[in-house]
């Protein structure tokens, strides 16, 4: 059974010696997918029973002992029927995944736009379990469906350790959205893969979800995440330690997330201009509670960092424009993350200029 540390509700492999092909495309780079077929015998499989997958590029030069592991997001499935539908999509079956993925943002190979991490070993882990890599049901009651996200995480770590991650001097676990939540929930486990003197940190991008009890729409949030937990048979635990997540946005963007705040889908969820004053009020209110909850979580450890902006955006670290140009307190995201990661300076900043969601679509890299 999987274990889900309580944050959500308070709150929220050696085989494939394939040569990774790299295609340079306008600065961004596509990397081919590797299917971890050896994981099948270990029961570490996607919802449909297919092999889990990753894309990997070897580090070099000063980055040859540094590793960055990225967990991609894609929401969660909250009912068997929803998980069944997902099992016939790229989010539930590696048979349906694209044959390559773009490495950009924090995974970019360009040392001009990504000076601190460009030459690191980079791993992109695909998401196909629908539970933020948390589920582990031995015998599923649902026909043709397997819930093994936690095992996928474990076999992926074993694969990377065998590829050389066990000799890492620097390591980062990061992820976005459902992958950002997975980053928080797996951070302690990731830390334990390395000895104490190794610099290991976790960067959760848009992965901190709050309950917001009493706030507008909390019943639907409670219902949604409660159903995810029930469907994947996740167990709540008291949240004990949470080493340093760094990125966050103060507004829950994306129509599904916004609807969980507003209590339903409205025109406002996709177009800020059409939001009523009531809706804007609900979002401002939610933001305040969100920030208060975040600060309470962050407070107990001086090592934790925060990068909280007010843009109506979700997922950032693979988006080159946002990675290089989105700023909070005059520091770009990549500067803030690197300064914090390398302990050059701490970074705990919240944009307080705007308490309403801002449409920042055209304001990057001006
Ligand atoms: C790179 O990968 C992305 C994502 O799979 C795809 O949309 C794009 O077409 C690929 N580009 C090239 C040049 O193959
Ligand atoms: C399970 O898979 C089998 C073989 O593909 C198929 O015939 C059957 O309809 C599936 N059952 C469900 C409940 O999807
Ligand atoms: C949403 O937008 C559509 C099309 O612009 C409009 O017909 C509808 O009245 C709007 N709904 C609300 C609740 O504003
Ligand atoms: C933000 O502005 C752009 C350009 O004006 C528009 O296309 C987009 O729909 C807006 N996004 C939201 C969420 O309002
Ligand atoms: C950011 O830079 C501007 C212009 O250099 C300065 O006026 C402002 O005080 C700075 N803001 C912060 C939060 O450091």
């Amino acid at each position: 059974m999987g274990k889900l540390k309580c944050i959500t509700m308070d709150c929220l492999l050696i085989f494939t010696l394939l040569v990774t092909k790299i295609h340079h495309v306008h600065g961004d780079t596509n990397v081919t997918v590797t299917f971890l077929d050896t994981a099948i015998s270990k029961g570490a499989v996607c919802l449909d029973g297919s092999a889990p997958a990753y894309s990997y590029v070897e580090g070099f030069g000063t980055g040859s002992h540094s590793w960055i592991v990225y967990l991609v997001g894609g929401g969660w499935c909250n009912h068997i029927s929803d998980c069944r539908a997902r099992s016939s999509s790229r989010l539930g079956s590696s048979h349906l995944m694209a044959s390559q993925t773009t490495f950009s943002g924090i995974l970019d190979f360009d040392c001009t736009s990504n000076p601190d991490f460009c030459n690191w070993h980079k791993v992109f882990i695909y998401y196909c379990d629908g539970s933020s890599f948390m589920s582990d049901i031995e015998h599923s009651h649902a026909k043709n469906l397997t819930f093994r996200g936690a095992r996928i995480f474990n076999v992926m770590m074993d694969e990377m350790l065998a590829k050389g991650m066990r000799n890492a001097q620097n390591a980062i676990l990061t992820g976005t959205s459902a992958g950002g939540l997975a980053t928080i929930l797996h951070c302690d486990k990731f830390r334990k893969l390395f000895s104490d003197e190794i610099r290991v940190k976790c960067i959760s991008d848009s992965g901190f979800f709050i309950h917001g009890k009493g706030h507008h729409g909390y019943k639907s949030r409670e219902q949604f995440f409660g159903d995810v937990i029930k469907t994947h048979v996740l167990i709540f635990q008291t949240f004990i330690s949470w080493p340093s997540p760094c990125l966050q946005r103060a507004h829950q963007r994306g129509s599904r997330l916004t609807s969980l705040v507003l209590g339903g889908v409205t025109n406002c969820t996709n177009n800020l201009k059409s939001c009523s004053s009531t809706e804007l009020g609900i979002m401002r209110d939610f933001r305040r509670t969100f920030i208060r909850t975040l600060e309470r979580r962050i407070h107990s450890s001086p090592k934790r960092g925060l990068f909280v902006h007010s843009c109506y955006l979700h997922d950032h670290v693979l988006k080159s424009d946002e990675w290089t140009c989105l700023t909070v307190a005059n520091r770009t995201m990549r500067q803030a993350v690197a300064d914090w990661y390398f302990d050059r300076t701490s970074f705990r900043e919240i944009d307080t200029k705007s308490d309403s969601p801002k449409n920042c679509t055209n304001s990057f890299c001006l």
Side-chain angles (χ1 to χ4, degrees):
M1 280 201 189
K3 287 178 180 165
L4 181 59
K5 294 172 182 176
C6 177
I7 175 160
T8 323
M9 297 306 281
D10 144 55
C11 25
L12 296 273
L13 190 231
I14 297 178
F15 198 58
T16 47
L17 297 168
L18 298 174
V19 177
T20 304
K21 291 195 198 94
I22 300 177
H23 312 275
H24 286 275
V25 196
H26 307 300
D28 285 335
T29 306
N30 275 5
V31 183
T32 52
V33 175
T34 298
F35 299 96
L36 191 52
D37 296 319
T38 53
I40 296 178
S41 62
K42 297 171 186 153
V45 291
C46 300
L47 281 167
D48 73 332
S50 58
Y54 66 87
S55 290
Y56 165 76
V57 176
E58 199 177 348
F60 60 92
T62 54
S64 49
H65 294 290
S66 297
W67 286 72
I68 183 157
V69 177
Y70 176 80
L71 305 173
V72 69
W76 309 270
C77 53
N78 60 333
H79 288 292
I80 296 296
S81 57
D82 190 23
C83 294
R84 195 173 299 290
R86 183 174 277 245
S87 75
S88 49
S89 81
R90 66 178 174 86
L91 286 170
S93 172
S94 60
H95 296 315
L96 301 166
M97 287 173 187
S99 59
Q100 53 187 23
T101 197
T102 309
F103 276 29
S104 51
I106 197 172
L107 298 182
D108 205 318
F109 301 97
D110 181 345
C111 294
T112 307
S113 58
N114 189 29
D116 295 285
F117 309 109
C118 56
N119 57 0
W120 286 34
H121 294 264
K122 300 181 185 112
V123 192
F124 179 110
I125 300 179
Y126 295 84
Y127 182 42
C128 63
D129 61 273
S131 73
S132 281
F133 297 88
M134 291 306 289
S135 59
D136 191 357
I137 304 177
E138 186 64 48
H139 301 289
S140 165
H141 48 290
K143 220 168 185 259
N144 303 350
L145 278 183
T146 41
F147 299 88
R148 302 282 176 75
R151 286 195 212 183
I152 295 177
F153 183 83
N154 292 343
V155 295
M156 287 293 173
M157 293 306 114
D158 289 346
E159 169 89 348
M160 296 311 147
L161 288 169
K163 273 185 177 297
M165 195 167 80
R166 66 173 86 259
N167 302 317
Q169 291 300 316
N170 293 299
I172 290 176
L173 175 67
T174 183
T176 297
S177 193
L181 175 60
T183 298
I184 294 172
L185 298 171
H186 285 288
C187 189
D188 290 351
K189 204 187 209 179
F190 186 70
R191 181 75 194 82
K192 290 195 189 104
L193 298 175
F194 308 90
S195 54
D196 291 347
E197 73 276 13
I198 308 302
R199 193 190 298 275
V200 184
K201 295 193 184 187
C202 301
I203 301 167
S204 172
D205 169 10
S206 318
F208 186 73
F209 299 91
I210 68 163
H211 189 183
K213 197 170 166 75
H215 275 273
H216 196 91
Y218 91 89
K219 287 246 192 271
S220 59
R221 288 192 293 279
E222 199 170 79
Q223 180 79 45
F224 178 77
F225 287 107
D227 287 342
V228 172
I229 287 159
K230 252 186 277 166
T231 302
H232 296 272
V233 199
L234 307 178
I235 297 175
F236 272 102
Q237 279 195 335
T238 310
F239 191 76
I240 300 166
S241 68
W242 178 31
S244 16
C246 187
L247 305 175
Q248 196 51 245
R249 77 277 171 255
H251 291 284
Q252 308 280 334
R253 193 211 162 255
S255 51
R256 190 166 198 179
L257 292 172
T258 310
S259 68
L260 283 172
V261 172
L262 295 176
V265 177
T266 72
N267 287 347
C268 168
T269 52
N270 289 320
N271 180 2
L272 290 171
K273 281 190 180 137
S274 68
C275 298
S276 67
S277 56
T278 307
E279 288 172 318
L280 288 173
I282 290 168
M283 288 199 262
R284 274 197 294 270
D285 222 35
F286 189 83
R287 179 183 195 273
R288 275 183 220 116
T289 301
F290 179 89
I291 288 172
R292 231 181 292 126
T293 309
L294 201 53
E295 284 177 326
R296 228 183 294 128
R297 287 273 170 205
I298 279 292
H299 220 71
S300 53
S301 169
K303 287 188 178 155
R304 292 174 184 166
L306 275 183
F307 183 98
V308 181
H309 60 82
S310 298
C311 298
Y312 191 67
L313 295 169
H314 187 62
D315 74 87
H316 311 86
V317 298
L318 292 200
K319 293 193 171 146
S320 295
D321 282 5
E322 294 177 31
W323 176 243
T324 54
C325 300
L326 180 59
T327 63
V328 171
N330 286 351
R331 243 185 293 178
T332 63
M333 186 182 300
R334 75 163 179 76
Q335 289 167 334
V337 168
D339 288 349
W340 165 82
Y341 177 77
F342 292 106
D343 298 304
R344 294 174 196 141
T345 61
S346 63
F347 195 85
R348 206 179 263 202
E349 299 287 344
I350 296 171
D351 173 16
T352 51
K353 272 180 268 165
S354 168
D355 69 349
S356 291
K358 284 193 296 188
N359 184 345
C360 302
T361 313
N362 299 315
S363 61
F364 301 116
C365 304
L366 289 176

